[in-house]
Amino acid sequence: MEEGGKERPFRLLILYASQTGNAMDAAERVGREAERIGCPSSVVSMDGFDASCLVHERMVIFIVSTTGQGDPPDAMKVFWRYLLQKNLTRQWLEQVRYAVFGLGDSGYQKYNFAAKKLDKRLKDLGARPIIERGLGDDQHPSGYEGALDPWLSSLWNDLSQTNPEIFPTGSVKLDHDTRILGTPKFEIVYHNLHLFQESYSCTSDFRYSAKVIERACSMSPAKFRNDEYRPHYFLQMVKNDRLTRLGSDRDVRHFEFEALSSGLEYQVGDVLEVLPGQDPASVDAFIQRCNLNPDAYITVQPNRSEKQPSDPSTNAMGEPVRLRAFIALTMDVSSASPRRYFFEASEFFFAGAEHEKEKLLYFASPEGRDDLYQYNQKERRTVLEVLEDFPSVQMPFEWLVQLIPPLRTRAFSISSSPLAHPNQVHLTVSIVSWKTPLKRKRCGLCSTWLANLDPHDSKVHIPAWIHRGALPPPPPSLPLILVGPGTGCAPFRAYVEERAVQSVSENTAPILFFFGCRNEGIDFLYRDFWLSHAQNHGVLSEEKDGGFFVAFSRDQPQKIYVQHKMKQESGRIWSLLNAGASIYTAGSSTKMPADVTSFFEDIISQEGGVPKDSAARFLSKLERAGRYNVEAWS
């Protein structure tokens, strides 16, 4: 009840926690469909909702993505900590009905873990599910929408049967011919050009550059980390070396950077986030295609109906930025594919081409979902390419700002030790490229941009942030078992460098490192580095009770992987575990983490003389104690 005894008007609360924007898109779609069938709704990010108020809600839909190794998105962390409080009773949410939809990737070992944990905790607190949780999978032929479409249909049907009074129209049948666009969430304010001078450029004035980036990113609909719009550092590339043999189908690079703006501070295991540069020609082509003035100065702010009391933009308008700088720094026009709602909204802005309107309507319909996925995501068509395919579409800039995927930072494991390389940071990066089903070559935005940078060009300054990674920095006295095939070796290069510096002045614990690649002569990354530390009393040498074990999977008829090398050294692994060692695993998210975990269970079972389920519990105990750490990426 509200103050004065008045009952709060019903609303369907839709809470989302998004890391890359997909969960936000899905949540907004739920809100749009609720609006179409007359159900009052409110779409709110979890970090903008007070979890203590959840008890006052009647019906809540949760849309949650999973990141990393089963981690909740940043926007969910405070909300989740509140739900875990021990003083919350099993009846706390007994008046609340809810539904959970998760977005994940079944290639990861902890698939949709955040959604599964949230669903269980809500039940533990007394909330009652409207329908069974839905789990979207990036591996599905239609992406997460392959599960979202039928889940939403079931949600509306179940709600209409159990609570028909919340649907004023008396029907939950969505009429896809009745289209509602509404108003954009953001407004663009244009300012007098003569009030401003220098536009954003890569100059030696880092404070100015940082200020422009901070202003642009703070106005972007996709917020970065809280209060971290300003780069921690500006870096200059000083080395760009290819690690794989020239002519091979894999291009892996070793990059070295020096900090220009201030002294670098980080630990081994940390992550470097880079804001990539977009192709200037693509940015200019987008501006021209959309009939925009690149030299206009703008501010972007939420519409009045979208503003929250805590939103700084409700109090003061930020300083303007040049329109071209805003696009280049915040809107991914040259690499990301637009999402489904982009096509739905585009239909409202067609300029008379009937065939384009029909195709857009079809793509936005349930019947066209699979064809849209093939045209858009599978081909990885960019926003610019889609707009060029539909030349009659003239979308206002405030809608473009809302609908174009944001330009996001890319995160890389740091492969250097600050003790070995003061004021430098190194990365080991696979340059991403692939062929689409239509045989069109596509390249990863950030990795390709980095690969094309010239270390001798002092004019390119890279905005960067440093954050804590999934792998904690180990003390010198901690024995280590490292497993890092391919570019998974990146953080372990830093660990070995650090341990080597520490060993000069103090006793250090042994390291066993298991590395894998395809061919010794093609992609044996950092070959001389590993071998030098495995010899002459190095930290990976037998004299130091360490070891370096490499598996070349394609150099013989029968494939050999790191797991086979681990099995050969099972006795040493078990001995080191009993001596208090920690396990660190890094690499591809597909099957590697699960396979490595299974092999560790086999080793513990065999060497410890216990059943496999007991070995699994032993490994889980290590994980809870912080002695089993995994960093994986897709």
Side-chain angles (χ1 to χ4, degrees):
M1 301 288 285
E2 297 286 351
E3 289 184 28
K6 293 183 179 180
E7 186 175 350
R8 175 184 295 183
F10 172 80
R11 69 165 178 175
L12 181 67
L13 176 62
I14 303 156
L15 292 177
Y16 69 89
S18 189
Q19 195 75 7
T20 63
N22 283 335
M24 180 179 71
D25 279 0
E28 290 180 346
R29 179 183 164 191
V30 177
R32 290 194 301 272
E33 291 200 3
E35 183 181 352
R36 287 181 187 174
I37 54 184
C39 176
S41 65
S42 181
V43 181
V44 182
S45 176
M46 278 190 193
D47 57 1
F49 182 80
D50 185 348
S52 67
C53 296
L54 192 62
V55 68
H56 303 301
E57 298 295 333
R58 183 175 164 190
M59 288 189 183
V60 188
I61 311 299
F62 295 90
I63 311 291
V64 178
S65 64
T66 293
T67 68
Q69 290 301 297
D71 300 321
D74 294 336
M76 181 179 170
K77 289 179 178 176
V78 173
F79 185 93
W80 179 241
R81 282 198 296 270
Y82 186 90
L83 292 189
L84 293 179
Q85 291 184 112
K86 294 182 179 180
N87 63 328
L88 299 179
T89 69
R90 299 183 72 86
Q91 293 79 39
W92 184 57
L93 296 179
E94 62 183 1
Q95 301 301 318
V96 178
R97 299 203 66 201
Y98 77 95
V100 172
F101 186 84
L103 288 81
D105 187 328
S106 58
Y108 284 79
Q109 189 175 6
K110 294 184 177 180
Y111 166 59
N112 258 315
F113 209 51
K116 292 173 182 176
K117 290 195 297 185
L118 176 62
D119 183 38
K120 182 179 184 303
R121 184 57 178 161
L122 291 170
K123 287 177 183 174
D124 290 344
L125 295 173
R128 295 171 296 144
I130 301 167
I131 60 171
E132 187 176 342
R133 68 176 177 239
L135 300 177
D137 186 0
D138 281 349
Q139 300 294 327
H140 188 278
S142 296
Y144 72 84
E145 289 184 328
L148 181 60
D149 286 354
W151 184 83
L152 268 181
S153 179
S154 298
L155 174 69
W156 302 133
N157 287 332
D158 281 36
L159 280 177
S160 69
Q161 293 173 15
T162 56
N163 299 84
E165 73 279 3
I166 69 175
F167 299 101
T169 62
S171 171
V172 295
K173 184 176 176 57
L174 284 172
D175 184 359
H176 291 279
D177 293 329
T178 303
R179 315 191 73 77
I180 300 172
L181 183 64
T183 57
K185 292 188 171 186
F186 298 89
E187 60 181 342
I188 313 297
V189 179
Y190 291 85
H191 300 268
N192 190 327
L193 176 64
H194 300 294
L195 297 178
F196 307 98
Q197 295 179 344
E198 288 290 320
S199 63
Y200 171 77
S201 62
C202 291
T203 71
S204 59
D205 185 356
F206 300 118
R207 287 177 298 178
Y208 175 73
S209 299
K211 189 175 182 181
V212 173
I213 294 172
E214 182 180 30
R215 291 201 312 250
C217 293
S218 66
M219 290 191 289
S220 171
K223 302 300 184 186
F224 282 29
R225 295 173 186 266
N226 291 338
D227 303 321
E228 292 196 334
Y229 306 122
R230 184 182 289 259
H232 295 167
Y233 305 98
F234 280 92
L235 306 178
Q236 181 177 328
M237 181 182 287
V238 295
K239 185 172 285 189
N240 179 346
D241 289 345
R242 180 166 178 147
L243 298 176
T244 49
R245 192 175 71 189
L246 194 64
S248 67
D249 61 347
R250 291 190 176 187
D251 183 358
V252 179
R253 301 290 179 100
H254 173 76
F255 298 124
E256 296 185 5
F257 307 91
E258 286 186 352
L260 298 171
S261 48
S262 59
L264 272 170
E265 295 183 6
Y266 66 94
Q267 301 179 83
V268 293
D270 283 354
V271 168
L272 182 78
E273 293 188 19
V274 173
L275 183 65
Q278 298 193 78
D279 175 25
S282 296
V283 173
D284 292 338
F286 171 81
I287 290 171
Q288 185 176 2
R289 164 65 182 81
C290 297
N291 299 315
L292 301 172
N293 177 6
D295 297 317
Y297 278 80
I298 63 170
T299 49
V300 181
Q301 58 188 14
N303 271 329
R304 290 180 178 84
S305 60
E306 297 293 331
K307 291 179 181 178
Q308 302 293 328
S310 60
D311 191 336
S313 62
T314 62
N315 303 319
M317 184 181 295
E319 289 186 61
V321 295
R322 193 175 172 216
L323 182 142
R324 191 188 188 284
F326 180 81
I327 292 172
L329 293 168
T330 70
M331 299 169 65
D332 194 341
V333 300
S334 61
S335 73
S337 297
R339 298 188 175 97
R340 187 172 173 181
Y341 188 41
F342 183 91
F343 294 87
E344 186 176 333
S346 294
E347 181 264 323
F348 286 89
F349 301 109
F350 79 103
E354 194 62 30
H355 67 287
E356 290 184 26
K357 178 180 179 180
E358 290 177 0
K359 192 168 186 179
L360 288 167
L361 281 169
Y362 173 68
F363 276 162
S365 70
E367 295 77 20
R369 183 193 70 201
D370 292 345
D371 286 338
L372 173 61
Y373 192 80
Q374 294 298 320
Y375 164 83
N376 189 38
Q377 287 97 322
K378 280 289 188 180
E379 283 299 306
R380 194 65 179 270
R381 278 186 168 83
T382 68
V383 169
L384 179 58
E385 288 174 331
V386 171
L387 288 171
E388 289 173 343
D389 282 351
F390 295 90
S392 70
V393 171
Q394 297 297 328
M395 192 178 293
F397 189 48
E398 54 265 30
W399 278 101
L400 292 168
V401 167
Q402 177 178 331
L403 296 176
I404 289 177
L407 180 68
R408 297 188 180 276
T409 58
R410 269 57 166 184
F412 302 96
S413 294
I414 293 175
S415 57
S416 58
S417 160
L419 297 182
H421 304 280
N423 207 44
Q424 280 199 353
V425 62
H426 301 176
L427 299 180
T428 308
V429 179
S430 178
I431 312 306
V432 179
S433 66
W434 73 97
K435 290 286 185 69
T436 71
L438 295 181
K439 306 302 180 186
R440 302 194 305 170
K441 185 177 180 180
R442 293 302 194 194
C443 298
L445 172 64
C446 190
S447 63
T448 303
W449 174 66
L450 290 173
N452 289 331
L453 291 181
D454 182 355
H456 301 102
D457 184 357
S458 61
K459 296 179 181 179
V460 179
H461 302 155
I462 302 165
W465 293 256
I466 287 179
H467 296 293
R468 184 61 50 84
L471 303 177
S477 59
L478 179 67
L480 299 176
I481 300 169
L482 310 178
V483 183
T487 54
C489 72
F492 304 141
R493 179 180 182 270
Y495 282 43
V496 170
E497 274 193 336
E498 182 114 319
R499 190 64 60 92
V501 174
Q502 292 165 341
S503 68
V504 174
S505 57
E506 59 185 306
N507 291 326
T508 56
I511 301 176
L512 300 181
F513 177 39
F514 297 88
F515 173 71
C517 61
R518 289 183 176 182
N519 307 98
E520 182 176 9
I522 295 178
D523 58 349
F524 191 173
L525 309 181
Y526 299 115
R527 176 184 183 277
D528 293 341
F529 174 84
W530 306 123
L531 295 180
S532 67
H533 287 289
Q535 301 165 359
N536 303 320
H537 297 273
V539 294
L540 295 177
S541 67
E542 289 188 10
E543 294 90 342
K544 290 291 184 73
D545 294 323
F548 173 63
F549 312 97
V550 57
F552 305 112
S553 62
R554 307 290 175 87
D555 277 349
Q556 60 284 312
Q558 186 177 2
K559 292 181 180 178
I560 299 176
Y561 297 111
V562 289
Q563 296 92 310
H564 299 107
K565 295 293 181 178
M566 289 165 56
K567 190 173 183 178
Q568 292 173 7
E569 303 297 327
S570 60
R572 294 187 67 184
I573 289 174
W574 179 240
S575 176
L576 215 56
L577 284 176
N578 284 324
S582 285
I583 298 170
Y584 290 72
T585 301
S588 169
S589 66
T590 49
K591 289 183 62 182
M592 189 277 297
D595 288 346
V596 168
T597 297
S598 180
F599 265 75
F600 272 119
E601 291 173 355
D602 288 341
I603 289 170
I604 295 166
S605 175
Q606 173 187 325
E607 299 293 333
V610 297
K612 187 75 177 282
D613 57 347
S614 298
R617 287 194 295 272
F618 179 88
L619 211 55
S620 296
K621 187 177 179 181
L622 289 183
E623 184 176 9
R624 290 192 298 272
R627 291 178 55 200
Y628 188 86
N629 303 279
V630 178
E631 182 178 79
W633 52 85
S634 55

